[in-house]
Amino acid sequence: MTQDVEMKDHPTPSHSVSSAVPTTLQHLKEIALLIETGSYSKEVRRIARAVRLTIALRKKLTAPVISSFLDHSLGQGSEAYGRLSVYLPKDDEHDMEVDTATSGSQAPAKHVLPELEIYCYLLVLLYLIDQKRYDEAKACSSASIVRLKNLNRRTIDVLASRLYFYYSYSYELTGNLAEIRGNLLALHRIATLRHDELSQETLLNLLLRNYLHYNLYDQAEKLRSKAPRFEAHSNQQFSRYLFYLGKIRTIQLEYTDAKESLLQAARKAPIAARGFRIQCNKWAIIVRLLLGEIPERTIFMQKGMEKALRPYFELTNAVRIGDLELFKSVAEKFASTFNTDRTHNLIVRLRHNVIRTGLRNISISYSRISLADVAKKLRLDSSNPVADAESIVAKAIRDGAIDATLDHAKGCMLSKETGDIYSTNEPQAAFNSRIAFCLNMHNEAVRALRFPPNTHKEKESAEKRRERQQQEQELAKHIAEEDDDDF
Amino acid sequence: MDPKLLEVSQVFDRFKAALARNDFDTCTNLLSQLKVMLTEFKSLPPLFEKTPNAVHELTLGRDVYEHAVILSVKMEDQDAFERDFFQLKPYYTDARELIPPSPQECPILGLNLLRLLVQNRIAEFHTELELLSPSAMENPCIQHAVELEQSFMEGAYNRVLSARQSVPHETFVYFMDLLAKTVRDEIAGCSEKAYDYLSISDARQTLLFSSDNQLLEYIKEEHPEWEIKNGFVFFQKAKESAPSKEIPSLQLINQTLSYARELERIV
């Protein structure tokens, strides 16, 4: 299921349908039909397709189109119609696009499918958000959530998870995410009890986002580690989850795991979600720097990201050279960017890595150097640079960053000869880890190739099915007869 | 004024007086009384009910826990500190909109950072740090802790120790003393790896002892493997990492077998 849904950081990738021949209303009616059949035959897949088609229509949604669609599907007299039509501007002049022939001839008290009702909520909500009427969007989404709590049908799950997303999104746009945290937690609990995995996935991400919005990393990690985990249903939600996970791990200094999550998130994200991928890349770059790696130049040259990643490129450069002065000036120059990205505290942590890289460069170039010179080269500005340099070098030696010894009496650092790495088991270990990675990748790829359940039955036409059933019946009869013969 | 509120503030006044006298027994008694009394107020966390006296009650509650934290520092009880701090925290985060900020907030947050540093809980240190607003980061008490952490990570231990002279708040001293111990252990660990030997006087200086006897005692207790000869301390360290002569055959066989198994699955 690869539905093309926008990521939060980059809303509305436009892919409007070019042909305007079938009007938007007709499209919507087709979608409604799809939902109806999906609902009757209990096929979640159809509903998912309906949502996908709706997103494609998003650009064309106008008030008259939606109101006549509501008219068509809910009927003027119904309760839901009354609740939803408030959000649409009253407009007597019908748009040219609107197909007036079908509306009006509806039976007033028609039974409305819950799926269709929820779908109408989604439509109105999309419209309100696109019109930037956020307060009304908040009211509308809250109303839809209240309605959703009373419905327990698997066919609604897809629609529900989308509604949850826009519910949180409308509150984020108005800056009161904290208000809905309790509500989201309650919804997550309901979804867990109902085994509604899609909604669980969405809600867990929304909650993580909610916590991280206020830098509540501790709470986010506690929730994440205790929430039930299962195989991801939606690629988008999974890459979001990985991104949040990467962020949490970065803050808690688990850089190796963080790097893995962030890189995977960046790879899994759809191409259209440029903003999201930029965010992933920014964090991944910092984490790699903190790990003492230098990201390749190609990362900064990815299409459409050069400008956004520029500050991080210069930062990487400073770390690579190991120049404290340059590092400081870069950090100051782009302070506002780093503050809005909320990576400032991480950049502060990097100072230590700059010193390490500088020290490593020195230990490679010199076999013997006085500590005063080390301090001068590292540009340590403190009251007692030599003593500082000595303890910094000592710590670097203990952490295994450099291979050297100190001579306290002479005040100098002696670098050791680097041994022949090929005489150790190192290459073997590296080779092994690479092979393991490749094998793992292959296994995951095979697993990802699985087919959605019940697809083979789909191909079987109604006629064939009847035929097969007949055959089975005959066979059963035959066997029964044979059984009778035996006795 | 509400009679209950009055009663609590009276007990609290007695508590404060006892704290000023450093009468810790009375303090702990009164504090447990106070904590029980505070549970009666519905406006306090986690309920946050909007009672008419909410602002008063919240401010009082916050004051009580702030003093509880300071008491725990004075009594040098880190566990009590952690407990009281977590009880105090909701007043700083969730009640931010309800009551005016407290002047004690930054020193106490700084203290907590320092505690995490002393206990070497660096991940939590950074998690707490992320919660601070940019204006709070400018505060000398917070900056002090942040700079300490940086120097500590870099290995500039001199800076950590000299920071003791410039503590921004008198309650910081206790944790700075604890930090000095942590630093000494760190230095010992680093010296062991970095030097082949040190003269006793140099070792005394690097390990921050005032007399040779203290140094010798420390070595006897913490690092009995160090050798003292002719006025020098020799750090015994087996300089291995020699090129491996033998082939780790068992491991290699296991690896090769697993490759074969995986390949079989693919083909």
Side-chain angles (χ1 to χ4, degrees):
Chain A
M1 263 201 281
T2 51
Q3 59 195 86
D4 201 346
V5 178
E6 77 288 344
M7 310 298 283
K8 275 176 218 172
D9 297 307
H10 177 61
T12 55
S14 65
H15 37 170
S16 47
V17 189
S18 54
S19 68
V21 188
T23 62
T24 319
L25 187 60
Q26 271 166 348
H27 272 307
L28 283 178
K29 282 179 184 164
E30 278 164 26
I31 294 173
L33 211 62
L34 199 62
I35 292 176
E36 271 173 30
T37 42
S39 158
Y40 287 127
S41 60
K42 303 237 173 339
E43 282 180 295
V44 181
R45 202 175 43 83
R46 286 187 197 275
I47 311 253
R49 196 158 139 237
V51 174
R52 207 155 58 232
L53 289 171
T54 314
I55 300 296
L57 280 180
R58 188 172 173 175
K59 278 272 155 85
K60 293 189 185 169
L61 293 178
T62 56
V65 171
I66 297 179
S67 69
S68 49
F69 176 72
L70 292 185
D71 211 30
H72 163 80
S73 53
L74 297 176
Q76 291 262 8
S78 71
E79 201 191 340
Y81 181 84
R83 259 179 278 152
L84 281 172
S85 54
V86 194
Y87 300 111
L88 300 168
K90 285 278 163 276
D91 193 14
D92 285 337
E93 281 178 67
H94 277 224
D95 199 298
M96 286 304 288
E97 268 192 301
V98 178
D99 190 353
T100 41
T102 45
S103 64
S105 61
Q106 298 292 325
K110 163 183 158 190
H111 172 70
V112 180
L113 277 175
E115 283 86 356
L116 214 52
E117 186 191 336
I118 296 299
Y119 177 72
C120 291
Y121 271 113
L122 182 64
L123 263 190
V124 173
L125 192 55
L126 274 178
Y127 167 76
L128 288 174
I129 287 176
D130 285 347
Q131 297 293 312
K132 301 200 165 44
R133 286 157 55 186
Y134 299 133
D135 286 323
E136 282 161 296
K138 263 159 67 177
C140 172
S141 58
S142 306
S144 73
I145 298 295
V146 173
R147 182 84 185 88
L148 270 175
K149 277 188 186 166
N150 299 322
L151 295 169
N152 183 10
R153 288 168 75 129
R154 292 291 69 77
T155 35
I156 289 186
D157 292 352
V158 183
L159 293 166
S161 64
R162 298 312 301 153
L163 267 178
Y164 297 145
F165 172 80
Y166 289 110
Y167 172 57
S168 163
Y169 187 51
S170 59
Y171 275 83
E172 190 180 337
L173 288 169
T174 45
N176 8 31
L177 264 183
E179 277 173 31
I180 59 166
R181 197 179 297 149
N183 232 337
L184 287 177
L185 282 166
L187 286 169
H188 186 259
R189 192 170 57 234
I190 294 174
T192 312
L193 290 175
R194 288 180 182 168
H195 299 287
D196 173 2
E197 296 192 343
L198 198 62
S199 299
Q200 277 182 59
E201 210 172 50
T202 316
L203 285 165
L204 179 63
N205 276 338
L206 290 176
L207 277 165
L208 288 181
R209 185 178 178 83
N210 201 315
Y211 284 130
L212 295 192
H213 188 81
Y214 298 97
N215 282 343
L216 296 166
Y217 287 94
D218 203 20
Q219 281 92 327
E221 169 59 22
K222 279 184 182 138
L223 172 72
R224 190 203 64 76
S225 54
K226 290 185 177 60
R229 284 301 300 152
F230 36 81
E231 218 162 300
H233 285 267
S234 143
N235 199 28
Q236 281 80 11
Q237 295 300 340
F238 189 50
S239 51
R240 279 200 193 112
Y241 173 78
L242 285 172
F243 175 57
Y244 300 140
L245 179 62
K247 270 174 104 161
I248 294 172
R249 284 178 168 164
T250 314
I251 296 300
Q252 306 199 326
L253 297 105
E254 294 164 33
Y255 298 136
T256 323
D257 295 339
K259 179 187 141 195
E260 204 174 299
S261 314
L262 287 168
L263 287 181
Q264 212 184 340
R267 273 190 218 121
K268 274 200 192 289
I271 305 290
R274 195 173 64 97
F276 178 79
R277 284 193 299 135
I278 290 177
Q279 283 295 326
C280 287
N281 273 310
K282 281 177 179 174
W283 278 75
I285 288 165
I286 295 186
V287 169
R288 292 184 69 182
L289 287 176
L290 283 168
L291 273 171
E293 294 174 21
I294 302 294
E296 305 83 17
R297 194 170 267 265
T298 46
I299 287 181
F300 303 98
M301 299 300 156
Q302 292 177 74
K303 211 172 153 230
M305 295 193 199
E306 297 98 332
K307 209 166 152 243
L309 294 181
R310 185 82 204 162
Y312 293 88
F313 175 67
E314 294 198 17
L315 196 71
T316 308
N317 209 20
V319 178
R320 188 176 59 85
I321 301 169
D323 186 340
L324 265 186
E325 292 289 315
L326 184 63
F327 174 73
K328 252 187 232 160
S329 73
V330 173
E332 268 163 35
K333 191 171 151 198
F334 296 109
S336 60
T337 323
F338 295 144
N339 272 331
T340 45
D341 288 347
R342 300 206 270 176
T343 48
H344 180 257
N345 284 338
L346 297 177
I347 310 269
V348 173
R349 287 190 212 172
L350 267 179
R351 189 186 133 87
H352 161 64
N353 286 63
V354 180
I355 296 179
R356 279 282 158 86
T357 330
L359 205 55
R360 205 173 304 144
N361 288 345
I362 293 173
S363 96
I364 290 169
S365 343
Y366 298 90
S367 61
R368 182 193 168 98
I369 182 168
S370 78
L371 288 170
D373 285 338
V374 172
K376 214 188 287 168
K377 280 188 180 295
L378 289 178
R379 300 203 225 179
L380 298 171
D381 48 347
S382 62
S383 50
N384 192 353
V386 179
D388 271 0
E390 189 167 348
S391 54
I392 289 173
V393 172
K395 189 161 194 279
I397 293 172
R398 192 198 55 174
D399 294 349
I402 54 172
D403 200 11
T405 47
L406 280 170
D407 192 330
H408 186 78
K410 290 183 188 133
C412 64
M413 173 177 107
L414 300 160
S415 302
K416 281 188 207 152
E417 297 278 316
T418 45
D420 178 15
I421 191 115
Y422 285 98
S423 64
T424 65
N425 284 324
E426 226 20 66
Q428 158 69 23
F431 189 49
N432 180 43
S433 76
R434 282 175 205 191
I435 292 177
F437 178 81
C438 290
L439 288 173
N440 197 22
M441 169 105 84
H442 173 265
N443 287 342
E444 272 184 17
V446 170
R447 219 173 298 148
L449 272 178
R450 76 205 151 122
F451 296 99
N454 294 335
T455 33
H456 61 283
K457 282 190 192 152
E458 200 51 40
K459 285 176 192 137
E460 194 179 57
S461 67
E463 207 173 311
K464 269 191 187 155
R465 183 161 41 209
R466 220 176 301 129
E467 219 167 90
R468 183 173 53 88
Q469 278 167 350
Q470 215 168 1
Q471 275 176 359
E472 275 169 7
Q473 270 173 4
E474 269 170 29
L475 198 66
K477 221 186 275 172
H478 202 66
I479 293 169
E481 275 166 15
E482 269 179 13
D483 280 353
D484 286 344
D485 290 348
D486 281 346
F487 288 107
Chain B
M1 208 188 212
D2 188 46
K4 250 200 281 178
L5 198 61
L6 202 66
E7 197 192 337
V8 176
S9 39
Q10 274 168 357
V11 179
F12 184 46
D13 283 338
R14 271 165 50 210
F15 170 78
K16 273 198 280 195
L19 187 63
R21 289 198 309 272
N22 283 344
D23 181 357
F24 296 141
D25 287 337
T26 326
C27 278
T28 31
N29 279 335
L30 288 172
L31 184 63
S32 39
Q33 273 183 42
L34 276 170
K35 283 185 181 171
V36 174
M37 284 157 112
L38 283 178
T39 52
E40 311 231 328
F41 295 131
K42 289 210 165 46
S43 62
L44 300 190
L47 292 170
F48 288 116
E49 267 178 37
K50 298 238 178 337
T51 51
N53 282 330
V55 176
H56 269 119
E57 290 167 7
L58 279 170
T59 327
L60 186 64
R62 190 179 60 187
D63 273 353
V64 169
Y65 284 115
E66 277 176 352
H67 281 83
V69 168
I70 292 171
L71 173 70
S72 64
V73 177
K74 283 195 176 173
M75 290 174 66
E76 315 199 340
D77 184 347
Q78 293 187 35
D79 293 333
F81 182 97
E82 188 166 352
R83 271 199 308 276
D84 290 330
F85 179 77
F86 278 126
Q87 279 181 304
L88 178 60
K89 219 174 150 191
Y91 292 92
Y92 289 150
T93 49
D94 300 341
R96 188 168 281 282
E97 268 88 56
L98 303 172
I99 43 174
S102 144
Q104 291 293 315
E105 181 169 347
C106 283
I108 285 184
L109 290 176
L111 268 178
N112 184 48
L113 289 176
L114 212 54
R115 172 184 68 90
L116 292 172
L117 200 58
V118 169
Q119 297 176 342
N120 214 1
R121 286 151 75 172
I122 305 295
E124 282 169 69
F125 178 92
H126 283 288
T127 316
E128 288 291 321
L129 205 59
E130 287 296 319
L131 286 172
L132 299 175
S133 63
S135 58
M137 297 286 270
E138 307 272 304
N139 187 287
C141 295
I142 308 279
Q143 260 188 351
H144 182 76
V146 173
E147 278 167 20
L148 274 180
E149 193 266 347
Q150 266 186 47
S151 313
F152 201 74
M153 289 312 279
E154 268 168 38
Y157 297 120
N158 295 317
R159 252 181 275 155
V160 178
L161 295 168
S162 59
R164 195 187 182 286
Q165 270 84 53
S166 59
V167 283
H169 200 265
E170 73 272 22
T171 43
F172 276 52
V173 175
Y174 162 61
F175 282 117
M176 292 306 291
D177 288 343
L178 284 181
L179 197 60
K181 280 182 210 141
T182 321
V183 166
R184 179 174 298 150
D185 290 336
E186 281 284 308
I187 296 181
C190 291
S191 318
E192 195 177 34
K193 292 270 155 48
Y195 303 103
D196 291 331
Y197 57 87
L198 273 178
S199 72
I200 285 189
S201 63
D202 286 339
R204 196 192 69 217
Q205 263 175 21
T206 20
L207 290 176
L208 324 153
F209 285 106
S210 45
S211 77
D212 288 358
N213 278 337
Q214 279 178 337
L215 171 73
L216 296 179
E217 223 160 84
Y218 175 78
I219 293 178
K220 212 158 78 188
E221 267 175 33
E222 303 280 332
H223 298 279
E225 71 278 13
W226 295 359
E227 207 180 331
I228 300 158
K229 235 178 3 193
N230 315 330
F232 283 99
V233 181
F234 287 93
F235 303 107
Q236 299 280 322
K237 46 175 177 179
K239 295 197 173 163
E240 334 103 49
S241 74
S244 69
K245 291 286 181 288
E246 59 183 278
I247 298 164
S249 32
L250 201 62
Q251 192 195 344
L252 274 178
I253 291 170
N254 272 333
Q255 277 175 11
T256 324
L257 280 177
S258 76
Y259 298 157
R261 203 169 44 240
E262 292 284 342
L263 274 176
E264 210 158 56
R265 241 194 282 175
I266 293 171
V267 180

